[in-house]
Amino acid sequence: MAKRFVIVTGGAGYIGSHTAVTLHEAGFTPVIIDNFSNSKPEVLEGIAKIIGEIPEFHEVDCRSQSVMTDIFQSYAAQGEVIGVIHFAAYKAVGESVKKPLEYFENNIGSTVALLGAMNASGISNLIFSSSCTVYGQPRKIPVNENAPILTAESPYGFTKQACERLIKDACKSNASLSACLLRYFNPIGAHPSALIGELPLGHPSNLIPYLTQAAAGLREPLTVFGNDYPTDDGTCVRDYIHVLDLAAAHVAALQWLEENDASCEAFNLGTGQGKSVSEVIQAFEDANGIVVPYIYGPRRSGDVTAIFADAAKAQRELGWKCERSLEDSLRDAWRWQKKLAE
Ligand code: NAD
Ligand code: WQD
């Protein structure tokens, strides 16, 4: 049978590596493109151990349209290229405030180059990694896909809004191009094998990597950013989704694009349940039987009080929903942290 290739830009990264594994399990052949700007070659070994073969890989900067076009065409000659999942981007909100031009250049530049390479190679299905950050603090929660896109709080958030817009416009101008804009809420956890997970590069700004490192005694106690918010326990509320549930949504979206005559559709990917920071700490302690050292500190600038997904559209259209609990995610996150310490 002809191979069914899926190009995965940023496939050595956190979400991309889990999605590459899930694509393989679903019968696709992932082709990873990454420049290791925020990942390491060892990730490919972890993927290989899980899927039982060395994944197709190209160390390339996906801003290079001509190189990407050559790669796409070489796979089209060997089988069918079903689509592209575009993870490659810089993702640190705080860093984007300090280096906006780098974020615009990489995140928007790679998306423009990718669309050009897809066009030149006749690839028609695109899945884009967007973010709930496009909603800012929505007026109504749970938030659905029709909520207004508010002025971005950060250059990072702006790049997600800009890429969504340029993909929409590209789809309008090219009837054969179809896209899903997947708005992730808060991805956490790791593969239960602990062979892949989120790489700790530098000081973690996200809750779970910081929490696991603090629990492991590698960092100062976790600072809970604010306990005076208008929520039940005073701490911020988010929608934490297991990275493997998120990965499965990409496969569902790809299959949906193959089967439907879609143009450009946005989908929220979350559990639909809001959890506060205090609830996450408690769930981590319950799931892993260890105490999390933490203190309360001031609010972090730019944080929204509460956001969680209305993911009914993804369930209805893609036939996808989360299968894993918060405790599952936190157990896998802790297993990954312990593996890192070996
Ligand atoms: P990550 O940094 O772990 O993975 C991104 C990968 O892309 C890295 O391996 C990096 O080396 C690669 N990359 C970056 N620029 C590149 C380029 N120009 N050419 C080739 N490779 C390049 O990030 P992640 O957490 O896996 O996030 C994946 C995507 O999901 C990103 O677009 C991110 O903005 C989006 N997203 C992430 C989250 C989250 O909390 N992790 C939430 C919402 C959206
Ligand atoms: C979660 C909660 C913090 C660290 C970010 C991006 C968003 C998206 C997902 C990419 C918040 C609290 C955190 C700490 C804490 N990424 N916290 N102490 O801010 O919801 O979303 O990642 O698209 O765009 O903004 O995630 O993990 O940073 O924070 O109390 O040391 O944990 O205040 O309530 P966030 P996070």
Side-chain angles (χ1 to χ4, degrees), residues 7 10 13 30 54 60 88 106 111 115 141 149 204-205 232 258 266 268 286-287 311 315 318:
I7 310 290
I54 296 169
V60 163
N106 195 41
T111 305
L115 286 165
I141 44 173
I149 302 297
S205 54
D232 286 349
E258 271 197 284
N268 283 344
D286 292 346
Q315 180 163 0
L318 308 179

Side-chain angles (χ1 to χ4, degrees), residues 13-15 34-35 37-39 61-62 87 91 106 156 160:
Y14 173 44
I15 307 169
D34 207 296
N35 64 357
S37 56
N38 197 39
S39 53
D61 189 314
C62 53
F87 293 103
K91 64 163 179 177
N106 195 41
Y156 167 76
K160 292 297 168 193

Side-chain angles (χ1 to χ4, degrees), residues 56-125:
E56 299 282 331
F57 171 72
H58 299 267
E59 186 171 349
V60 163
D61 189 314
C62 53
R63 280 168 289 186
S64 174
Q65 186 173 323
S66 59
V67 179
M68 297 278 280
T69 304
D70 289 348
I71 293 173
F72 294 176
Q73 290 178 351
S74 76
Y75 283 98
Q78 297 171 51
E80 194 184 352
V81 181
I82 306 296
V84 178
I85 308 184
H86 184 38
F87 293 103
Y90 296 151
K91 64 163 179 177
V93 175
E95 183 185 61
S96 79
V97 176
K98 293 185 190 117
K99 302 177 177 173
L101 298 185
E102 288 179 30
Y103 273 68
F104 298 155
E105 216 214 337
N106 195 41
N107 295 7
I108 301 174
S110 66
T111 305
V112 173
L114 177 68
L115 286 165
M118 287 178 69
N119 207 7
S121 321
I123 301 175
S124 44
N125 295 322

Side-chain angles (χ1 to χ4, degrees), residues 175-194:
S176 63
L177 180 66
S178 300
C180 286
L181 311 172
L182 301 185
R183 296 177 181 156
Y184 312 158
F185 282 66
N186 291 58
I188 60 167
H191 194 274
S193 65

